[in-house]
């Protein structure tokens, strides 16, 4: 029973069926062994007896009688009846009866029977097999051991358009293009040789009659064997999953685009990412062309049609030519090209099939095919927030199948996503340019002329941090040929930091013009920062979790006459000083509190700097990178400054190369100054006793020195200036006064005394006997002013060396 049930052979086959022969009266005249196995009756017990008596239950007689009558009328019968076993059980069996004529004209009936369950299973198997060949939507191909086709089903017939009967005897892979046919043969041979089934293998299929139509099939293969193990061939189940594959590919491309497009706020990079996503998944060649204002981060006018710049391009394979215009080059589209129409109308263009002369016809010239094999084209607009930013052009030349409507829909979806990213990048670029314009306007554009130091500057904005920084530097000429060097850093980033930096820089210039000592300058700045913090708090501008306003600053004043440098710092990194011998070291300068804490003193220090020394001022960004230890950074800084005789710009660049990464995380301000010394012969100084004859002596000394210097044309004005300043000292001060002349870019005349009383410029009345001295001084000099020291004050003037003032 078990062996039979497992078999897929016909249950009525002679070796499997229970057979009985009945004479025309219904008596059993023949009985085979299988009938004895199934029903338990030995042949000797049933032969000669009526079948009704032995095999039929009395309750089933009406049904059997009716079946017998039908059989006699038709000459045969098939159906299911219950047959009585020897032990009395009733066994449901499928029976087939037909008449058997003998030579002696005696008619007999041959009766073949099988268990109804086996018969039903066999019929189901036949129905399944028939369904596979006639009604299944899944293709079925049976290959012989010699790799010829034995049979295919109707599904294969519908796909190929070839009748199923015509496949018999043809080689495996027929009707496929050569490359796909070779892969099909290798696949069948592998399964036949190894016996390992192939399950759900995706294969690309192109028919010889339609090679441009690429299909994707899901193939499952297994080897067929007979009970003895002899190989009968290979059967393949082939399902057309082209649409499913394309849908999955589109979804995967959309998902990939979401992660790859718009990774940076850079217009060009976003355009390149879009082109790279398209190739090779959707197109063989892709180009992205943006309107020129978009690439510059500018606002767009409505309905602009050009000019455009090729920003992104990609092609399949390095050996394949790319779009004819390299990235960054302007592109001109003819007025009737698909790209021009797309730009003007904001609507996509699909050209599924391009004829070989398509590009040479009027209206298509200037469409710029990437190579001569192009046969299909899509152009979609890059539109965001109601504005067309550019176009994306897709080409196919290697892939034989043309673009379809679904491809256009996918291209539009990807272009729409990319356009938003491009527009965001454009807006960011615009904001960054505005911000950097603001910041650059707050920083010194060039080093002012002065004789005290040679200066090299670097300002490097952070590439990773958002917003503007508050780092700044300054070189401010002071009276007496001196110079102030300033470096500062406002806490935080953004517009507030940049604006605060601008206000502090302006304040430093104002305080420098007063010739205050460095510690006094920082004290005044501290008051200003405290005031700014109070203003921000009053208007509710305090960033959450951050200090309202805070800054660090280093202020240094160098005098090229005395070679003395006075410095003070407010929480800022100490300067590095390199002597002419190349020894570089941090200056031990009191740190001082950061600006904005209020109420804490600042301490200045004065040192001698030999001519040719380097003084390096910097913000903490140059040594504060997270991946660099501060001590290591300072050591590298000192090493880069160890060659003071090198060209200063080269030294400055060496510091940047040594310490600044490609993408710094913080803004960096760097100022390196090489000190100079005025030649002794360009400075003259005299100490005068304050007596009525002091003014006359000052005029005489001044005249003699100007004659020695060849500046006789300035003698009159300078004698007048010196005389008036000494006279004021005589009137309002006590103790000796000092007269000093300095010849550099200007002729400087200074008179120092021990008084802190400030001279005031006023307009004297006609009846006044005095009060006209400073007025005359102001008329003769280009600039004049007063600076204060702990010992007193110095009144100074500057005259141009170009000629005599009138």
């Amino acid at each position: 029973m078990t062996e039979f049930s497992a078999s897929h052979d016909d249950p009525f086959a002679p070796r499997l069926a229970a057979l009985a022969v009945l004479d025309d009266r219904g008596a059993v005249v023949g009985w085979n062994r299988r009938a004895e196995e199934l029903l338990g009756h030995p042949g000797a017990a049933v032969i000669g007896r009526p079948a009704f008596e032995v095999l039929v239950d009395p309750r089933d007689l009406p049904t059997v009688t009716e079946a017998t009558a039908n059989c006699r009328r038709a000459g045969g019968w098939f159906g299911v009846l219950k047959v009585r076993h020897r032990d009395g059980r009733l066994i449901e069996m499928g029976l087939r009866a037909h008449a058997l004529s003998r030579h002696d004209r005696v008619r007999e009936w041959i009766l073949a029977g099988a268990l109804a369950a086996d018969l039903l299973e066999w019929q189901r198997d036949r129905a399944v097999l028939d369904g596979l060949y006639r009604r299944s939507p899944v293709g079925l191909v049976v290959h012989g051991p010699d790799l010829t086709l034995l049979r295919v089903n109707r599904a294969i017939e519908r796909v190929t358009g070839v009748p199923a009967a015509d496949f018999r005897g043809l080689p495996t892979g027929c009707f496929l293009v050569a490359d796909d046919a070779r892969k099909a043969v290798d696949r069948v041979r592998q399964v036949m040789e190894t016996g390992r089934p192939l399950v759900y293998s995706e294969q690309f299929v192109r028919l010889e009659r339609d090679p441009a139509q690429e299909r994707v099939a899901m193939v499952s293969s297994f080897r067929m064997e007979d009970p003895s193990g002899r190989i009968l061939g290979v059967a393949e189940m082939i399902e057309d999953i082209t649409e499913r594959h394309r849908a999955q590919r589109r979804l995967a491309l959309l998902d990939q685009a979401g992660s790859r497009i718009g990774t940076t706020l850079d217009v060009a990079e976003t355009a390149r990412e879009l082109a790279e996503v398209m190739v090779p998944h959707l197109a063989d060649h892709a180009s992205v062309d943006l309107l020129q204002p978009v690439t510059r981060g500018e606002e767009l006018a409505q309905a602009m049609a050009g000019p455009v710049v090729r920003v992104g391009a990609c092609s399949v394979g390095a050996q394949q030519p790319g779009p004819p215009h390299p990235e960054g080059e302007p592109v001109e589209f003819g007025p009737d090209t698909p790209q021009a129409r797309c730009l003007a109308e904001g609507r996509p263009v699909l050209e599924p099939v391009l004829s070989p002369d398509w590009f040479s016809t009027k209206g298509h010239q200037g469409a710029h095919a990437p190579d001569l094999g192009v046969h299909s084209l899509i152009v979609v607009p890059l539109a965001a927030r109601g504005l067309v930013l550019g176009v994306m052009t897709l080409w196919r030349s290697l892939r034989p199948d043309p673009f379809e409507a679904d491809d256009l829909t996918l291209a539009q979806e990807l272009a729409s996503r990319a356009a938003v990213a491009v527009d965001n990048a454009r807006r960011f670029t615009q904001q960054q340019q505005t911000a950097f314009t603001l910041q650059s306007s707050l920083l010194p554009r060039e080093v002012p002329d002065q004789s005290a130091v040679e200066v090299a500057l670097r300002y490097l904005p952070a590439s990773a941090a958002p917003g503007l920084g508050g780092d700044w530097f300054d070189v401010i000429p002071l009276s007496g040929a001196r110079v102030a060097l300033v470096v500062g850093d406002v806490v935080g980033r953004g517009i507030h930091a940049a604006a605060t930096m601008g206000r502090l820089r302006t304040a430093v210039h104002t305080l420098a013009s007063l010739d205050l000592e460095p510690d006094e300058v920082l004290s005044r700045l501290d008051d200003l920062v405290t005031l700014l913090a109070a203003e921000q708090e009053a208007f509710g501008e305090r960033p959450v979790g951050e200090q309202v306003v805070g800054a660090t600053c280093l202020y240094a004043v160098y005098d090229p006459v005395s070679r003395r440098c006075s410095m003070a710092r407010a929480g800022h990194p100490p300067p590095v000083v390199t002597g002419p011998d190349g020894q570089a070291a941090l200056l031990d300068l009191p740190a001082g509190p950061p600006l904005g804490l209020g109420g804490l003193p600042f301490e200045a220090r004065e040192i001698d700097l030999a001519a040719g020394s380097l003084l390096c001022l910097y913000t903490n960004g140059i040594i504060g990178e997270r991946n660099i230890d501060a001590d290591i950074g300072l050591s590298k800084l000192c090493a880069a400054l160890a060659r003071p005789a090198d060209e200063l710009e080269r030294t400055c660049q060496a510091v940047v190369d040594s310490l600044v990464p490609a993408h710094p995380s913080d803004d960096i301000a760097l100022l390196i100054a090489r000190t100079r010394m005025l030649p002794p012969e360009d400075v003259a100084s005299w100490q005068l006793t304050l007596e009525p004859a002091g003014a006359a002596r000052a005029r005489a000394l001044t005249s003699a020195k100007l004659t020695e210097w060849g500046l006789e044309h300035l003698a009159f004005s300078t004698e007048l200036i010196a005389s008036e300043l000494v006279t004021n000292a005589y009137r309002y001060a006590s103790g000796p006064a000092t007269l000093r002349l300095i010849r550099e870019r200007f002729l400087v005349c200074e008179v120092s005394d021990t008084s802190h009383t400030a001279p005031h410029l006023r307009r004297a009345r006609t009846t006044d006997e005095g009060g006209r001295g400073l007025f005359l001084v102001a008329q003769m000099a280009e600039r004049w002013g007063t600076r204060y020291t702990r010992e007193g004050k110095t009144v100074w003037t500057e005259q141009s060396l170009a000629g005599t003032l009138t």
Side-chain angles (χ1 to χ4, degrees):
M1 290 286 290
T2 303
E3 178 184 353
F4 178 76
S5 298
S7 173
H8 295 284
D9 291 341
D10 186 352
F12 289 116
R15 65 185 181 85
L16 299 177
L19 299 177
V21 181
L22 308 181
D23 61 16
D24 201 40
R25 293 172 298 178
V28 179
V29 294
W31 191 258
N32 75 345
R33 182 180 297 277
R34 183 62 177 163
E36 183 177 339
E37 292 174 355
L38 290 178
L39 299 175
H41 299 282
V46 296
I47 291 178
R49 296 177 62 184
F52 280 70
E53 177 183 328
V54 179
L55 303 176
V56 179
D57 186 271
R59 292 171 293 183
D60 295 328
L61 278 175
T63 303
V64 174
T65 300
E66 182 182 357
T68 301
N70 293 333
C71 181
R72 286 182 178 277
R73 284 195 302 269
W77 180 85
F78 172 75
V80 177
L81 293 174
K82 293 181 179 179
V83 180
R84 187 168 62 183
H85 193 272
R86 181 181 180 182
D87 60 10
R89 290 182 293 117
L90 294 179
I91 299 177
E92 194 170 44
M93 297 187 67
L95 300 174
R96 180 182 292 168
H98 61 87
L100 181 65
S101 298
R102 292 170 43 180
H103 295 295
D104 53 4
R105 296 185 180 180
V106 175
R107 189 167 70 166
E108 294 179 335
W109 299 88
I110 185 167
L111 191 63
L115 294 175
D118 292 344
L119 180 61
L120 183 61
E121 181 181 358
W122 178 72
Q123 288 177 328
R124 283 196 298 264
D125 289 349
R126 288 296 301 271
V128 170
L129 190 61
D130 181 72
L132 285 175
Y133 279 106
R134 296 178 182 277
R135 286 175 287 277
S136 172
V138 178
L140 175 63
V141 180
V142 180
H143 307 268
D146 58 350
L147 296 181
T148 59
L149 298 177
L150 301 180
R151 190 173 182 182
V152 301
N153 67 350
R154 296 280 176 83
I156 298 297
E157 180 181 278
R158 289 191 294 270
V159 170
T160 61
V162 179
D166 293 350
F167 279 86
R168 186 180 298 274
L170 294 177
T172 295
C174 63
F175 302 110
L176 298 179
V177 298
D179 188 47
D180 292 346
R182 183 169 57 255
K183 294 176 181 177
V185 170
D186 292 342
R187 181 177 66 243
V188 174
R189 181 181 289 114
Q190 178 185 355
V191 174
M192 192 172 304
E193 291 176 353
T194 64
R196 290 194 297 271
L198 186 67
V199 181
Y200 297 145
S201 173
E202 286 191 6
Q203 307 290 330
F204 289 92
V205 178
R206 289 169 294 170
L207 300 176
E208 274 190 331
R209 66 181 178 87
D210 189 14
Q213 181 70 23
E214 187 176 64
R215 298 174 180 269
V216 182
M218 183 78 77
V219 180
S220 295
S221 310
F222 62 91
R223 190 169 70 185
M224 301 182 297
E225 301 176 358
D226 65 10
S228 66
R230 182 167 60 95
I231 298 175
L232 303 178
V234 172
E236 287 189 313
M237 307 296 292
I238 303 175
E239 180 182 2
D240 188 349
I241 61 167
T242 303
E243 292 305 320
R244 186 198 316 167
H245 178 81
R246 288 177 179 173
Q248 291 175 345
R249 187 173 60 185
R250 292 185 183 108
L251 289 175
L253 189 56
L254 285 172
D255 181 66
Q256 184 183 31
S259 61
R260 289 185 57 186
I261 298 176
T263 59
T264 65
L265 287 172
D266 181 88
V267 172
E269 183 62 25
T270 301
R272 282 191 290 270
E273 290 169 346
L274 174 60
E276 290 169 359
V277 165
M278 292 297 177
V279 178
H281 305 290
L282 189 60
D284 296 324
H285 314 278
S287 61
V288 179
D289 305 303
L290 298 179
L291 294 166
Q292 280 188 347
V294 176
T295 63
R296 297 192 293 261
E298 300 172 0
E299 290 292 344
L300 289 176
Q302 293 289 338
M304 289 187 64
V308 297
V309 176
R310 178 136 302 163
V311 185
C314 188
S315 295
V316 175
Q319 74 280 7
Q320 294 297 327
H325 292 273
E327 293 182 19
E329 291 293 322
V331 181
E332 292 186 7
F333 295 124
D336 295 324
T337 59
Q339 293 90 342
R341 297 202 311 271
C342 183
L343 273 174
E345 302 172 7
R347 292 186 296 180
V349 176
L350 169 62
E351 296 285 351
V353 179
L354 304 178
S355 60
D357 61 344
W358 188 86
F359 294 98
S360 61
T361 58
K362 184 178 180 181
H364 298 152
Q365 295 175 354
H368 304 301
D371 65 50
L372 297 178
V374 166
H375 61 81
S376 193
L377 165 71
I378 281 179
V379 183
V380 293
L382 296 171
R385 300 177 177 94
L387 293 175
V388 176
L389 310 176
V391 294
M392 175 178 68
T393 308
L394 305 179
W395 316 83
R396 280 187 180 173
S397 59
L398 299 180
R399 294 176 58 168
D401 51 318
F403 286 118
E404 301 176 347
D406 287 343
D407 297 322
L408 178 62
T409 302
L410 177 59
Q412 285 182 279
E413 174 64 24
L414 293 173
S416 177
R417 295 187 182 189
V420 174
V422 168
D423 195 48
N424 289 338
R426 178 192 66 81
R427 290 168 176 257
F428 176 77
T429 300
Q430 183 184 43
Q431 293 174 359
Q432 285 294 94
Q433 288 176 347
T434 301
F436 287 130
T437 300
L438 168 63
Q439 189 174 40
S440 62
S441 68
L442 298 176
L443 292 172
R445 296 177 179 267
E446 59 184 16
V447 178
D449 291 335
Q450 44 78 39
S451 306
V453 292
E454 177 190 359
V455 177
L457 304 169
R458 291 289 188 279
Y459 179 82
L460 305 172
S463 59
L468 299 174
D471 295 22
W472 91 93
F473 48 69
D474 245 319
V475 178
I476 307 172
L478 301 177
S479 63
R482 298 169 307 133
V483 66
L485 306 175
V486 190
V487 170
D489 185 1
V490 176
V491 174
R493 302 191 62 80
I495 295 295
H496 281 304
T500 301
M501 177 266 284
R503 297 173 76 173
L504 292 181
R505 180 171 177 255
T506 302
V508 169
H509 272 262
T510 302
L511 296 172
S513 68
L514 299 177
D515 273 320
L516 300 177
E517 295 292 330
D519 53 341
E520 182 65 20
V521 170
L522 295 182
S523 295
R524 302 288 181 89
L525 284 179
D526 184 60
D527 294 339
L528 174 61
V529 171
T530 302
L531 178 61
L532 294 177
E535 289 180 357
Q536 287 193 12
E537 285 184 329
F539 285 96
E541 298 176 353
R542 177 171 184 164
V544 178
E546 294 184 11
Q547 184 177 350
V548 179
V549 177
T552 64
C553 184
L554 192 153
Y555 187 88
V557 175
Y558 174 69
D559 186 345
V561 177
S562 64
R563 296 183 293 104
R564 301 289 290 174
C565 183
S566 178
M567 289 175 277
R569 62 184 177 123
H572 202 81
V576 175
V577 176
T578 305
D581 59 356
Q583 295 295 319
L586 288 177
L587 184 63
D588 184 15
L589 183 63
L595 300 176
L597 296 184
L600 298 175
F602 299 94
E603 185 177 350
R605 182 183 173 190
E606 194 171 65
I607 61 171
D608 288 324
L609 290 178
S613 299
L614 296 184
L615 181 62
C616 178
L617 283 61
Y618 53 90
T619 55
N620 59 7
I622 203 165
I623 58 170
E625 289 290 327
R626 295 179 182 175
N627 59 338
I628 300 178
D629 182 82
D631 292 337
I632 296 176
L634 289 172
S635 298
K636 289 185 175 181
L637 178 60
C638 292
L641 296 169
R643 298 171 62 91
D646 285 355
E647 181 182 355
L648 202 57
E649 283 294 331
R650 183 185 304 171
T651 300
C652 194
Q653 190 58 44
V655 172
V656 172
D657 295 341
S658 175
L659 287 158
V660 180
H663 303 286
S665 61
D666 192 9
D667 290 356
I668 293 172
L670 175 65
L671 186 157
I672 303 178
R674 178 184 287 126
T675 61
R676 295 168 176 158
M677 180 180 177
L678 290 184
E681 59 270 18
D682 287 341
V683 180
S685 180
W686 304 276
Q687 191 170 22
L688 304 175
T689 58
L690 294 182
E691 57 185 0
R697 184 164 185 263
R699 287 194 298 271
L701 293 172
T702 299
S703 178
K705 181 52 71 174
L706 292 184
T707 301
E708 179 184 338
W709 284 345
L711 299 176
E712 295 88 348
H713 62 284
L714 294 177
F716 175 77
S717 58
T718 309
E719 287 179 25
L720 179 60
I721 290 171
S723 175
E724 290 297 331
L725 295 182
V726 171
T727 300
N728 277 340
Y730 171 72
R731 287 181 179 178
Y732 303 107
S734 61
T738 301
L739 171 64
R740 185 168 71 164
L741 297 179
I742 301 174
R743 181 181 61 175
E744 45 121 19
R745 295 177 304 113
F746 298 93
L747 177 61
V748 179
C749 178
E750 297 179 343
V751 174
S752 303
D753 59 49
T754 58
S755 171
H756 287 88
T757 302
H760 293 286
L761 178 66
R762 63 185 179 89
R763 186 176 297 274
R765 291 172 296 183
T766 56
T767 57
D768 290 343
E769 294 183 0
R772 296 178 179 83
L774 281 182
F775 181 78
L776 292 175
V777 168
Q779 296 301 309
M780 293 293 181
E782 285 196 2
R783 292 198 314 147
W784 75 280
T786 306
R787 66 174 180 268
Y788 295 89
T789 65
R790 292 179 177 84
E791 294 78 19
K793 69 176 184 298
T794 299
V795 182
W796 55 268
T797 64
E798 290 181 356
Q799 299 177 80
S800 173
L801 296 179
T804 304
L805 295 175
T806 58

